[in-house]
């Protein structure tokens, strides 16, 4: 049986206390929200903090606030179940409700939070293994080693951004309120990420994500499709988030963001540009899907072969856009190969 390593558990009641504790303990400390990803990772010794700062006791971090006119503010500790079932989220940001409802399993969605999902660790076949497995195979630079086992000549880690909600929030134009010992700042969600499998979050370690801010839905329609091996639960090996603002039948703005194709969610502006000023017809959808497939360069470090995952980018973008156009009724938004 894999056991948790010993650690001190700190229970702050305010955001200020949490960020102060993180600053005080430096590299020894980590945040824990629902713990659904972090605790298994601790058991596999992918992280070895001696202090965990739990956010559960901070009341202001939980819940959904706001209005249709002003947009919604979702506290980082709001559970994925609560996000998926929230009436205004489901009505105005259906892709977010879908993505939150497709994360892992019901039990984990009851514990897992939106903040934890946005900050969830990147993944790789050579890293998401037990300590014994990694020791036998040879450690890699993401933990305990100094080379990349996927791309041995590479000076960087290519572990894959595997959050379901991050590409959706990016496509919806969400922002995040980040709090640190020196105060708070609001940044586009896109600016929270950087293309590095190890340092995948562009925030300081003592900062926490406090809130996710959704702009007014205001004519935007959205959809999310996920490729994974098992329909019951599994991380995405491809996520496709599409959002378009329509005036009548004409697309005025569009965003297409891919998940699980790089160490960060990957926006495909050239594909979105194909749609602007056009109606969502089979022809424009095909051209946008072709343009989206180009920037997706999945590596051979997660489930399914990388040529297959790349091929499915085109298919899934086309299906997601067809769904927005009412050309593909689909069943559940999830797709299982
Ligand atoms: C079997 C299994 C299947 C899974 N399937 C999926 C899946 O399909 N899709 C998916 O997206 N995820 C999946 N996960 C991962 C995980 O359950 C979810 O990503 C979940 O949303 C993580 O949220 P959490 O609150 O439990 O985060 P935690 O596990 O508590 O934390 C995750 C990471 O985020 C950091 N963190 C948490 N909250 C904050 C915050 N507010 N500010 C700053 N940093 C923070 C933690 O330090 C940690 O590094 C799966 C996990 C398991 C074990
Ligand atoms: S991409 Fe390379 S360095 Fe990163 S986790 Fe995988 S094997 Fe390790």
């Amino acid at each position: 049986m894999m056991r948790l390593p010993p650690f001190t558990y700190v229970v702050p009641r305010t955001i200020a206390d949490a960020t102060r504790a993180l600053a005080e303990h430096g590299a020894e400390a980590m945040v824990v929200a629902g713990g659904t990803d972090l605790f298994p990772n601790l058991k596999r010794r992918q992280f070895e903090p001696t202090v965990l700062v739990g956010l559960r006791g901070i009341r202001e971090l939980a819940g959904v606030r706001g209005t249709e006119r002003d947009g919604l503010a979702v506290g980082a500790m709001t559970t994925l179940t609560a996000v998926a079932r929230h009436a205004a989220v489901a009505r105005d940001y259906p892709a977010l409700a879908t993505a939150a409802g497709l994360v892992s399993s019901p039990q984990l969605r009851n514990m897992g939070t939106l903040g934890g999902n946005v900050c969830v660790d990147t993944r790789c076949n050579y890293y998401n293994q037990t300590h014994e497995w990694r020791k036998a195979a040879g450690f890699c630079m993401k933990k305990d080693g100094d080379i990349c086992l996927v791309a041995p000549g590479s000076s960087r880690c290519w572990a894959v951004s595997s959050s379901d909600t991050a590409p959706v929030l990016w496509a919806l134009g969400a922002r995040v309120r980040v709090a640190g010992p020196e105060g708070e700042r609001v940044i586009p969600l896109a600016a929270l990420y950087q293309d590095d499998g190890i340092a995948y979050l562009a925030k300081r370690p003592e900062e926490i994500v406090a809130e996710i801010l959704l702009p007014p839905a205001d004519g935007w329609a959205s959809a999310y499709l996920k490729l994974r091996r098992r329909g019951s639960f599994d991380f995405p090996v491809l996520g496709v988030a599409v959002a378009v603002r329509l005036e009548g039948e004409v697309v005025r703005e569009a965003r297409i963001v891919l998940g699980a194709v790089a160490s960060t969610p990957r926006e495909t502006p050239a594909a979105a540009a194909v749609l602007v000023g056009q109606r969502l017809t089979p022809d424009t959808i095909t051209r946008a899907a072709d343009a989206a497939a180009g920037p997706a360069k999945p590596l051979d470090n997660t489930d399914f072969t990388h040529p297959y995952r790349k091929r499915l980018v085109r298919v899934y973008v086309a299906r997601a856009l067809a769904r927005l156009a009412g050309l593909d009724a689909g069943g559940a938004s999830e797709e299982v190969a």
Side-chain angles (χ1 to χ4, degrees):
M1 181 198 283
M2 291 192 296
R3 291 185 188 281
L4 282 172
F7 55 81
T8 303
Y9 189 61
V10 177
V11 190
R13 297 287 168 202
T14 65
I15 294 175
D17 285 348
T19 58
R20 209 174 300 124
L22 288 168
E24 189 184 321
H25 295 287
E28 291 295 305
M30 280 187 85
V31 167
V32 62
T36 62
D37 201 64
L38 187 61
F39 287 134
N41 289 354
L42 294 184
K43 288 181 177 178
R44 293 187 292 253
R45 305 305 189 258
Q46 285 161 251
F47 299 104
E48 297 181 272
T50 56
V51 176
L52 284 187
V53 178
L55 301 184
R56 191 173 296 278
I58 307 176
R59 281 201 173 172
E60 63 179 298
L61 288 180
V64 182
R65 293 170 283 275
T67 61
E68 193 175 347
R69 207 188 56 181
D70 300 328
L72 296 183
V74 186
M77 287 300 287
T78 311
T79 67
L80 293 164
T81 299
V83 172
R85 291 189 184 159
H86 194 276
V89 173
R91 181 189 64 225
D92 296 333
Y93 313 96
L96 177 58
T98 301
L102 289 176
V103 173
S104 54
S105 66
Q107 293 91 335
L108 295 184
R109 290 195 293 275
N110 288 342
M111 292 298 293
T113 65
L114 188 62
N117 194 242
V118 160
C119 296
V120 75
D121 195 15
T122 53
R123 294 179 64 80
C124 171
N125 283 345
Y126 295 91
Y127 168 71
N128 294 98
Q129 304 288 351
T130 61
H131 186 265
E132 290 68 29
W133 190 102
R134 290 186 288 119
K135 190 175 174 188
F139 293 114
C140 75
M141 68 171 83
K142 189 157 161 69
K143 183 68 171 60
D144 297 324
D146 51 13
I147 61 157
C148 173
L149 299 173
V150 180
S154 173
S155 59
R156 59 158 285 189
C157 165
W158 298 89
V160 179
S161 169
S162 302
S163 162
D164 277 303
T165 63
V168 173
L169 291 167
W170 185 320
L172 292 172
R175 295 172 302 147
V176 286
R177 184 160 66 87
V178 178
E182 275 128 47
E184 295 185 352
R185 58 199 174 104
V186 174
I187 57 170
L189 176 114
L192 186 64
Y193 298 105
Q194 54 194 15
D195 195 8
D196 184 308
I198 298 172
Y200 59 96
L201 291 177
K203 70 167 189 62
R204 291 192 298 278
E206 67 273 20
E207 289 182 316
I208 64 166
V209 170
E211 208 169 38
I212 292 96
L213 305 165
L214 294 161
D218 209 14
W220 284 86
S222 61
Y224 178 68
L225 291 186
K226 168 174 180 172
L227 172 71
R228 58 180 168 178
R229 188 175 289 273
R230 293 170 293 187
S232 53
F233 76 103
D234 253 335
F235 281 87
V237 286
L238 170 64
V240 170
V242 294
V244 298
R245 187 173 65 79
L246 294 164
E247 273 176 17
E249 291 191 344
V250 177
V251 175
R252 290 300 173 200
E253 290 179 83
R255 289 189 210 103
I256 301 173
V257 184
L258 309 176
V261 297
S263 300
T264 170
R266 178 136 290 170
E267 186 167 6
T268 61
V274 169
L275 302 172
V276 175
Q278 309 292 325
R279 289 188 304 122
L280 286 175
T281 62
D283 174 54
T284 51
I285 288 173
T286 303
R287 285 192 288 121
D290 285 347
K297 296 188 173 60
L299 280 181
D300 190 15
N301 61 347
T302 181
D303 200 4
F304 298 126
T305 66
H306 57 297
Y308 175 71
R309 291 192 343 261
K310 183 168 172 65
R311 214 166 55 238
L312 283 211
V313 171
R314 182 180 282 108
V315 175
Y316 272 43
V317 170
R319 277 190 203 161
L321 290 171
R323 212 154 279 190
L324 288 187
L327 300 170
D328 174 352
S333 295
E334 171 192 5
E335 304 292 332
V336 183

